[in-house]
Every structure is written in C-alpha cells, then in structure tokens.
Amino acid sequence: MLTVTDLHKSFETAGQPLPVLRGVDLAVTRGECVALTGESGSGKSTLLHLIAALDTFDAGSIRLDGQELAGLNDRARADLRRNRVGVIFQQFNLIPSLSVGDNLAFQARLAGRFDAAWQARLTERLGLGPLTDRWPEQLSGGQQQRVAVGRAIAARPALVLADEPTGNLDEATGGAVMDLLLDLVAETQATLLMVTHSAALAARLNRRVHLSLGQVSAL
Amino acid sequence: MNRLILRTLLSHWRSRPFQIVTLLLGLTVATALWSGVQAINAEARASYAQAAATLGTDRFDSLQPRGAETFDQEAYIALRRAGWDVSPVVEGSLRLGGERYRVLGIDPVTAPASLPARPDLQGADLTDFLGPTGLILISASTTLPPDVDLPPVRVVEGIAPGTLVMDIGLAQTLLTMPGQLSRLILLPGVQGAPPIAEASGVVFDRIAPRGDGGGIAALTDSFHLNLTAFGFLAFAVGLFIVYSSIGLAFEQRKPMLRTLRALGVPLRRLMLVMVAELTALALLAGIAGVALGYLIAASLLPDVAATLEGLYGAQVSGSLSLRPAWWATGLLIAMGGAALAAGDTLWRTARMPLLSAAMPEAWHGAQARAQFWQGIAALGCFALALVLCFTASSLTAGFALMGALLIGAALALPVVLATILRIGAARARGPLSQWGWADARQQMSRLSLALMALLLALSANIGVGTMVMSFRDTFTGWLDQRLVAEVYVTASDAEQGRAIHAWATDRVDAVLPIWSAEARLGAVPISIYGVAQHPTYSEHWPLIEALPGAWQSVASGEGALINEQMAARRDLSPGDALILPTPDGTDWPLTITAIYSDYGNPVDQVMVDVGLLATRYPDIERLRFALRTADAPQVIEEARARFGLSSEQVVDQAAIKALSLAIFERTFTVTGALNILTLAVAALALLTAMLTLQLMRLPSLAPLWAMGLTRAALARAELVKVLALALLTAILSIPIGLGVAWVLTNVINVMAFGWRLPMNLYPMDWLRLIGLALLTATVAAGLPVLRLARTAPRTLLGVFASER
Amino acid sequence: MRVLVFLLLLPTLAFAQGFAGLGTATQEGFATPERGATLTFPTDHAAHPDYRIEWWYLTANMTGPDGATYGAQWTLFRSALAPGEGEGWASPQIWMGHAALTTADRHFVAETFARGGIGQAGVTAQPFAAWIDDWQIAGPDLTEVTVRARGDGFAYTLDLATSAPFVAQGDGGYSVKSGAGQASYYYSQPFYDLTGMIEIGGVPTPVTGQAWLDREWSSQPLAETQDGWDWFSIHFESGEKLMAFRLRDNSGAPFHSGTWIDADGTPHPLDGDTLSFTELERAQTSGPQVPIAWRVQIAQRGLDITTRPLNPDAWMDTLFPYWEGPIHVEGSHDGIGYLEMTGYE
C-alpha cells in the first residue's frame, strides 16, 4: 500500500546541505499499524512529512496506493493530502477561528466526503458531543488531540499519519487518546504510520521500524 | 545591566530592519503631517500678527471714518490740537509690474515707538525717510519688480510681507490722495480732551486693538481650524501604523523578553529600558517628521497663501520660517504619539506571564470583550454627536461633532464588521467559505485598527469631497445667477466715474452702479451696497428667503436685503428692523425684506437702494458700474479706447466668473492634498498591519495547508478576505462620509462662513473611492500574500512543533 | 539758551546721532549767525526756517497760596532737515515740545513731536502764537501771553505779562559759544510777571511768580570737544537778573559766558574770565548722578552765591535726556532761578 524506496532528503543549513534521510526503504501493507521510532534528528518526522506529501524529497520514491509522489506539483500534493491522508501532529492541529464541531468536520467537508451519520458517531465515540460549540482555545490538550484524531479519521483516509500525537499529553490522557486512535483506525480499516519515541506505544502497534542517522536500522 | 538589556532588545531590529523602518516611517509620517499643518498655521498667524503690528492695529485703537475710505487731514490736526494723541495713517494698494502691494504711509514723529516700521528718531534713517526723495521700507520676503520708478528701498525687520512702508507724504503722492488720510492710530492715556467728533468734525468708528492679528485672524480662524482638523486626522491615522509596528515587535520579542525575565531582569528595569528605547526611536522619528513636515508645509504654503489672499485678502508670507516652538511641539507630539501607540504593548509586557501558555491566544473571549467596550464607547460618541447636532453653536463644537461622529464610527466598525462576518459564516456553505468568514472575523481583531484608519480616511474623503463638490456646483450656479451683467467697469477716479456713467447711459441698455460703503454695525465691519432698481436684480439675484415685494421695498427706500452670513451671525430674518450707522451720526432705519446667498464673502453685507446710499453716505467712491448690453465686445472696446481703461478695469462676465472659480479652486487645493495624504497614510497603516498579521497568521493557516490546501489557494483566500474587509469598510464609510459632509455643509460652514450649502450626492465618486480602497487593500495585502504563497513547507511545518 | 545747545552744539552726545539726524545732515544751505546783525521785533519772535535749530524756551518760578514753590518749563524746539519751508508733509521742519512741572518732591515731564507744514506745530509773530498740539504760548503779542501745557498727571495755564524790553544776549544778540567762534542769535525776556493755575493729579492750585523766556537760533554745532554744560538763569530779589553758563571741554579749560541784566533790562555781557563755577555736591537722580549744589562767583560784580535745587531729581527723561529744574540762590545775593545741566552720564 505504501512503498518507500531509497528516499533521500537534505535541508539547507547555513549554506551546507544537511542530509536527513539517506536512502530509506520501507513498505507498509494495507491495514498495518507501524511505529516509526528513532533518536531525535534521526529523520522520522521528516519521513512522515514526506509520505504525507507535505514536503518534497530529493531522490528516491514514495508510492502510495500505486501513485508515485515524486514529481507531483503543489496542487497534486494538496489533493493527495486532502483526499487520501489524515495527519495528526503533536500540537496546534486545530483551526482557531472554527468551533470544535466545524474543526471535526472540516477535512471531510474539504474532501467532499462528509457523512453526517458517521460524523455524529465519531463525535460520540470521541466523547466530544457536549463540546462541539466550543472554541479550540477552550479545550484541554487531551480534548484538542481527540478533535485532531477525529478530524483526521472523519474523511476515512486510507492512510493516517501521526507525529507523536500524544507527545504533549500526560500518560493517562495520552493512553486514552491512543486507544481512541487505534480503535478508529481499526474500525475504518485505515493504515497507520506513527512517529513516537515511546517504546511502550510502539509495542502496541503491529510493527516497529527504527530509523538511525537517516536510514532504517535494526534495533 | 541597562546597556546589556538595551543591546539585547535592539538586536531584534537588526534582524528585522523592515520592521523598524515601518515603525519610524509611521511615526515620521504622522508627525510630519501634523507639524506641517501646524507650520502653515503658525506662519499664517505670524503673518497676520506682523501685518497688524506693521499697521499698529495689534496694540492701539484705530479711528476710521464712518462711511468713507478717507478723510481730510485737517481733522487730524484738529484732533492733535484738541489734545488727542493720534497718529495719521495712509493706506492703499499699488499695482507694480502686475503685483499688488499694500502701501502704508506713516508719520514717524507721531507714530508710537513700538510700530515696527517706524524709523528710529535718533537714526540716520529718519533723514532719508523724511527727505525729499523718501525711503521705502519692506520686509526681506518682499520683492519689487526691477524697473519701477520708486524711491530707494531698504529692507528692515518686522514689516509684513507685500507691504511698502513710507512717509505719509510720499504715500499720499503715490496713492494720489493729497491731504487725505485713511485712519488714525489712537494712543492711550488722553484725558480731558473734547469728544473726537466735536473736535474733528468727522464721525469716526473707534476700533479696538486685536492682539492676535485683528480682523483677518478672526476671519481666517475657520480656515485654520479646518487645516488643524485635517492635520489631526492624518496624525491619528499615522498612529495606527506605529501601533501595529510596535505590536508586531512585541509579539516577536516575547520569547526574548521572557528569557530576559527568566534570567532575572526585574520587570521594572525591563520596562524602563523599553521606554528609553521607545523614547529614542520617537525622538529620531520626531526629528525626521518635523523636517518632513517642514517640506510639506513649504510646498503647500504658496497655495495656502494664495487661498487666504483670494478669500480674505490676508497677506501671508509665501516662505516658511523655522520657529523653535514649532520644532519643540513637533517632537513632543511624536513622543506623545509613540507613548499612545505603545501604551498597550507596555501594558501587555508588564502583565506577561513568565512562562508561556501552552494554549493559543484566547481570541474569542478577548475579541468579544473588546468589542463590547468599543460598542459602548461608540454609542457614547454617537450620543454626544447627536447632542452636538442640535446644540453646536460654535465652530469648535462643530468640529467636536465631526470628531465624535468619526471616532464613534471607527469604534463601531469592528462591531459592525464582526456582526456581518458572523452572519456570513452562519450562511456559508462550503468548508472553505465557512472558514473564510470565520477567519476574517478573527483576523479583524488585529486588522481593525488599520481598518479604522481606512474608514477615517475614506469617510473624510467622501465628506470633504461631497462638501467641496456641492460647494462648487452651488457656487457655479450662484455665479451664473448673480453675474448677469455683461460688462463690469471700474473708473480710475470720481471724475472719470461720472464721465463713464454719462457715456454708458446713452451707449448701453442699462447702467447699474455698484457703489458701496464700509461701515461698522456693533463692532463688526459690514459692507453696504447700493443697487439700482432693475430686473437684473429683481429677476436674477439669488434670494434664500424673502417677503413679498422685497425689491420694491428696496427701491422705495424702506427695505434692505442682507446676506446669509449676516442673517446667521446676527440672527436676523425678513421683517426684522435694521438700523444702519451713517457718517453724520444719525440712524438709518430700514426693514430687512430678504436674505440672499453670498458665497465666498467673509463680510456681512447689506443691499439698499443706490440713490439712498449716495445720499446717506455722500463720500462713497462712485467708480464701479455693471453694464447691460447685447454688444459686450464692442462696448468693452469703446470703453477702453475712450477712457484709457486697463484690461483690469473693464471686464466681461466670463472673465469675472473665471476669476471667481479660479479663487474657488485654489481654496480647496490644500484640502485636496491633505485628503490624498491621509488616504496614503491609511494605505501604509493597512500594509504594516498586514505584515504584522502575516507572521501571526501561520499557525492559523498551517493546519489548512496540512489538510490539503495549496499555499497559493491560501494566499488567494487571504487576499480575498482582506479585499472583503476593505470593501465592507469602504461601503460603511459612505454613510459615515455623508454624515461628515452633512456636518460640514450644515454645521461647520454655517459657523465658519455663515452660509448653508445644499448637499448633493455624487455616487460615481463613491464608486471611485471604493475602487481606490480595494486598490489600497490590494497593494497593502500584495506583499504579505506573495510572501505567504512562497512560504517554505518547512516553515509551515515548524508551526506544529514550535512554541508560540 | 539751554538744552538747546544740546540740539545746536553737542557733537558727541545724543544729539550728535541727531534729533532728526541733525548731526549727520550737511549744513549746506543753512544760514549762519553773523556779528552785527540787528534783531527786529516782532518778526524775530517767529520761526527762522533757514537756520537749522531754534527754540522758544520758557521757565517759571512760582509760589502757591501756602508758600510752596513750584517750577514750570515750556519749550518748543524746531529742527530743520533742510533750510526753508515746504508745503504740507514735504516740509523739512520737525518740531519737538517739552513741558515740565516741578514740586519739592515731584517732577512731571511730557514730550511731543510734530511735522512742520501741516499746522500741528508752528510759531506766528503777530498776534504771537507758538504751539504744538494743544500746548501753546499765545497772546496779542509776546509781552502778554498765556502758556498752556499738559502731560501725564499735570497741567498748567499761566498768564504772563511784562512791560520790560527784550534783552539781547552777547554782542547785541550775537552769542558766542566757543573759543573757536561757534555762535547763535540769542535774546531773552526775563521780566515776566506770572499768575496762573497749576494742576497736579487733577487738583488745581493758583500760583504767582516770575518767568523767563529765552529765544535762540543757529545752524552751527558745538565744538567737537565740548561735551556738556551747566546753565543758570537767576532772578535776584533786587530785580536784577543773571544768565551764566559753563561749556565743559574734555580737552582743556571750560568756556564761560554770561550776562548781568539790570533791573531796567540793560544787559552787561560778562567776561568769561570773571566767572567761576564750583560744584559743591552731587546727587543721584532718576537718570545719572549730577551736581545739584553750586557755588557761582563773579568777582567783578561782588557775587558769591550758592544754588540748591527745589527738587534734586528734576531729570528730564525725554528722547534727549537732561536735568532742568528750579533753584534757590543764597549768599551775597538772594534769589530764585533755573538750572540746566547736560552731558552727564
């Protein structure tokens, strides 16, 4: 479902290219939940961003459901993000000017796949029912991340990408959010790729891929 | 430690030079417009004061003959010999090489020593001044045409521009008024002398001194108040720029400030250093602003001078002198402005928690609270405006009304916009448009100041534009009505006047004398005009209000017509009695039968039958005539040839109209220039606000981008939102502008000039202005939007990781 | 003669810069006094516009009903920018009036100016009138006149009459003012009897007394080195009169001159060498310090007198300031009179 082959990416830093990914190979099958771990600076977040078509890479290939990401223009990458991917970041996922309810439904409506019944069920599952009229700024961190999870799932994307979604939460809250995420991924039969540096979290997923110095390595 | 803190704070500007440029630019522009206007006013007022000092009317009573321009100098001798301490003055104007100069003849041995032009009695100047060739004293700013036959000229200080001061004997010769005087300066301290009229055999009006420059200053007050109001508006608009740049700097320096505090810098000291930094910046901008203001004033002054001369006959120096007081106030206003604009930032710094909040800014609550109070304040302003609307009885109150209206509108703007945007969001269908509306509403909190500036500039623009154009339309129509005669002739002297009268009586269809007398009613000067009984008047003259048979009653000698400004100032209406003074001291009872419009005339005016005027005021000059003829070119030709009249003495109707309109246009040149400048400042305010906003916008935009919107689409949405806000603001500015126009035409004009103007609507101009506002917004938003479209993905991704 | 010399002669002081630019004006065209000319009356009572400078100078010593003494001064100066008279404002003549009233503790001064040619000031001989503004000396002729003047806080109306002849000073009216020969025409009428009213702060007081009129005209300035003078006019109880002056010279001995006038009006010019002036005491005035007590001696006449002022502060704070006030005389001869001092700084 997702195939990454010999992926290279460097950033310009002080005029010098700083290689972050140095030939990453990765394959994920449909429905699989994969944890992406590694040291700080190992390139795991960058890899996630490239798969989400948020940024472009220098060399190699990313194929998503058979579509090659290399060479896609801005618009095609935006389409891909909108229609096929759901992204959850560590924080600041929400649009401050929209209410919780509107935030939840936003991506589904953007992608043209808004389903009122599913949306209602989702809201219920996330325990956000009483909060839909609130503003993001009025929510706790855990509540905000639940909205972010719900928003990513609402459009039923094939691939859910999460970048330390519970990194900013305490263990109990993070655990609850994680439970919801895994449940919903399973329910929608989505594929999950999640960056984390928590071994405990990684253990809850099907498989763990470790990145070191920009390459996949054995643990 | 202070130095270290300051260096740390200043390092911020090094990395963001553009920001400090905007900050300084905003403060500079605001100061420049304000102090430019002040410089113009100061220069004009100094000119009036100097003119009054040159004439001695600033400190001394004057005696002016009632109903005559001149009087026999024997009356002066008689007063001196009766013990009155008076000094004679001859005044008149002289045309030299196409320029008009004011001639002032004085007697240096009796003139008060404080008269600036009086030569020192112990100086050698006196010998030349009184000598057979004479001496003319002028100011350094007066230039005379090179090849005129005049006595030697000497430049001295303290003389009003355009004035030639000379011995009274020489003045009598140059002005061809032998043995005649214009007025007397009356020195204080005379006791026991017989009454002036008895001693001199002449009825004089005694005019009290006016320290501020005399009648001219009073007449031109309204003009200067106008300029001041505009200067203030521009200043206020400029402060919006300063506010946004300072606000931006604060946002960006927040982490730095936190670090400093965390490292143990006491809050008080941090504030102190920030205030010092601000003071230094304000000083810098103040100096630049005053210098720029000087340039603005210098470039506008010639037009202002022309306006003042055309409207009020006030001589104002066309060149600007530097006054230390003006520099000082310019700097103070810059500092005050900076303090005003930075107050909010300093307040927020003082209250900033040491640790950053994990939560994004709670904008909803803050916005609602701010809007609540703004709404209350706006209501207060509107209530005040409403009260003033009915009670305003002075020019200052008129401007206060306008101020209340504008400030109220500015304060209400965010509330109104927020309401419109909320309704829009509720009705929006697609997620993007829904987000657009909602986001515009959030964005407005930050943009509202710039939008307020835009609203003020646009409203003022519409208001002033409507007033000026209504005035022009009214004025043109009124000129058409009033200037009916085909030819206007001015004789050189009384004898030629009689000859012209006799010749024209046979030559043209009708000869209408235009004779007038200057008098004083109460303490205020009035002109009394004599009119002949002729359909030219009764059928064309624009009357505002009239009793039946108004013109017949004038012809029969019982009625008088007064101009609108006189009716307004003295609260007179048709049917009221009017008692005019006469040279022989007797009363001249009349009844007011009509009121006519008299635009552009600052002086109260009465129209009576010309025959009666000539009887009551036997000494009036009988020089001017209006001629009715179907054969104007031929009549002009003949009059010139027969009487040797110059082209200025024989004028056709078209030429007079053109002249009047030219004066009119010049009057509003300055207003127009200030209007444009204000709008430019508003555009700048919008630009700086947009740039400020852009940096704070990324957190709002990044999630959208992550969810699948291209940067270009986001940029487009941003542009559309700003344009929409500008459009809404522009549309809202139309009713506000019309309100301003109404205040200008129906309150301020009445107070300032005494005439009410019909207010016309000019929708095409509104469209033009809306276009201009959209253009302004496009220009202002262009750069930030372009920058957004080119933001690196990594920068956007940074949003999700960074602390805000 | 008196302040007038000021106008006439003083080159280095105020007048040098020149009332009406006098000091700098050329002398061309002005007539000059000549020895041997005869004074003619009443013609010479009127103005002589061909001469540069001229004055009508009246001083009066007066007594009120309570015995209080007063002094009054009435002066009309004429100064010409050019010789001759012109029409209207074109006249080159400028007039200046000084009036003063002195009591033991007050000294009132007024000053006024006028252009010639327009009627604001002037002098006619018959009937006699000298006027500037509402000040005047006027009567059927100069032997019977009324003097009026008015200023801030004071006014006076004085009737003067005399049957005595006018007294020619110097050599038949030709009065020499320096060793170098500068001179003026100069005659006096020191014999006026006076009755009148003075008014101070609106309060009228009747007065009687004596008055002295000096008439003088010339065109010549003082010598460069002459920087002031001390001038006395004295009525002795005997009915005799004395005019005596000292012109101070910064380069050498002062120039002395005077006339002893018999009670019948016969003048006896005094040889300068016989006159002696000694300063006895100086006092601060509202202007500079000036000598206020003098010893005057004339050996030839057996005169040795001391003069003291009625009011030491008789400072004339006018455009060209000087000291002028009534004095008492004691010693070999008793009397009253006027003293004028110029050139003190």
Side-chain angles (χ1 to χ4, degrees), chain C residues 252-296:
Chain C
F255 179 84
H256 293 178
S257 181
T259 304
W260 185 272
I261 303 164
D262 292 342
D264 67 359
T266 312
H268 305 280
L270 297 170
D271 185 348
D273 300 342
T274 70
L275 289 163
S276 154
F277 301 87
T278 313
E279 218 183 284
L280 297 180
E281 189 188 324
R282 284 201 176 208
Q284 182 67 47
T285 65
S286 33
Q289 274 208 348
V290 298
I292 50 150
W294 290 82
R295 183 176 180 192
V296 180

Side-chain angles (χ1 to χ4, degrees), chain B residues 73-74 76-77 80-86 88 106-110 120-124 126-127 130-131 167-170 172 179 181 189-191, chain C residues 14 17-22 24-25 81 88-91 94-95 112-115 118-121 131-136 150-153 319-320:
Chain B
Q73 86 187 19
E74 290 311 316
Y76 159 65
I77 302 300
R80 289 291 312 197
R81 301 230 42 206
W84 284 98
D85 199 356
V86 285
I106 58 167
D107 170 21
V109 309
T110 53
D120 194 337
L121 279 183
Q122 299 190 41
L126 189 64
T127 319
L130 297 179
D167 183 54
I168 191 158
L170 179 58
Q172 284 183 342
L181 303 177
V190 176
Q191 290 159 356
Chain C
Q17 285 88 13
F19 168 56
L22 201 70
T24 59
L81 299 174
W89 297 104
S91 162
I94 292 177
W95 300 80
T112 184
F113 296 88
R115 298 277 287 277
I118 54 165
Q120 189 190 341
W131 76 90
I132 180 165
D133 295 342
D134 57 338
W135 304 358
Q136 61 166 40
R150 167 195 63 71
D152 196 9
L319 183 60
F320 308 103

Side-chain angles (χ1 to χ4, degrees), chain A residues 102-168:
Chain A
D102 289 335
N103 261 294
L104 268 173
F106 197 81
Q107 191 165 12
R109 295 173 65 185
L110 211 57
R113 291 205 292 275
F114 181 71
D115 173 347
W118 163 234
Q119 191 75 31
R121 232 179 81 219
L122 193 57
T123 308
E124 199 57 36
R125 288 284 310 275
L126 291 164
L128 292 171
L131 302 179
T132 48
D133 286 338
R134 298 229 182 145
W135 303 104
E137 71 207 36
Q138 296 167 315
L139 302 187
S140 70
Q143 287 168 334
Q144 288 193 24
Q145 284 307 82
R146 276 190 272 152
V147 178
V149 169
R151 191 190 60 195
I153 299 290
R156 295 175 181 275
L159 179 61
V160 173
L161 297 165
D163 189 358
E164 304 234 28
T166 59
N168 248 20

